[in-house]
Amino acid sequence: MPAGRPRPSWGLHRWSARLWVVGARILVVEDDAKQAELIRMYLEREGHALAVVHDGRAALEHARRKQPDLVVLDVMLPKVDGLDVCRILRHESSVPIVMLTARSTEDDLLLGLDLGADDYVTKPYSPRELVARVRTVLRRASGVGNGRPEGSPLVVGDLVVDPGRHEVRLRDVLLEVTPTEFKMLELLAGSPGQTFTRQRVLDAAFGFDHYALERTVDVHMMNLRKKVEDDPREPRYLVTVFGVGYKMAEDPGAGGAA
């Protein structure tokens, strides 16, 4: 939950230690019926319970009545605009919101985030990418990823990433990392073993800076390995998944691909 956001009057009130994996109640608000059904199909495969509405007014009514755990919200909606829905929902609760939009300018993206959206996916998008974003937002918002409360240190082997102190330590030695490197480590260390695409790492490190290239991630990863790894050519922590992206090793003692 972002700093300064009030505790929810509803939403995320019934989390179990496994709810970030399966079982969340998700409201999809999308006026394109075919697109809505595609989203429903992919999220139901993840084990979530889905409800679909096609306009902003229905979205507000359903959210207030059913109190979903997450809302997937299109921007361009009839009756009540998606940005207005986001603003109203955020005023009433802290339910996580993932916005969908065909708008791709920086101002549009920042506006949605400023209104309280937790993530933003631009059309056209891969349904699998949306599923991954939903999974990440649920985990982050619930504060139960790996059984840890939000903001507590992320420990992988001898590596400790501490979001509360904004520190990284290896064998209790403080490492000097840039803000961008810290965001990358926080993402990867928060889900050891999970593969993240370069684009996902880019989003975590730079937000929605569309001037940054995916290859930028490789440069930062090279620099991080020099700081974290005993031998950057044989990384134990920051592992490359060829053709996809990167992951944090679950067992750093086992080594990984360069």
Side-chain angles (χ1 to χ4, degrees), residues 1-3 5 7 12 118 137 139-145 147-154 162-164 186:
M1 187 181 301
R5 182 181 297 180
R7 295 188 63 83
L12 297 174
D118 295 270
V137 170
R139 183 188 300 114
R140 185 171 67 231
S142 70
V144 298
R148 302 181 184 92
E150 185 181 15
S152 65
L154 306 169
D162 190 335
E186 185 178 13

Side-chain angles (χ1 to χ4, degrees), residues 80-99:
V80 181
D81 183 84
L83 293 174
D84 287 331
V85 173
C86 180
R87 177 180 53 80
I88 294 168
L89 288 179
R90 183 55 65 241
H91 177 73
E92 296 178 353
S93 78
S94 291
V95 61
I97 300 171
V98 177
M99 300 201 74

Side-chain angles (χ1 to χ4, degrees), residues 51-66:
V52 176
V53 297
H54 302 292
D55 66 75
R57 185 176 301 165
L60 291 172
E61 292 174 353
H62 182 97
R64 289 162 174 163
R65 186 173 69 254
K66 297 296 185 178

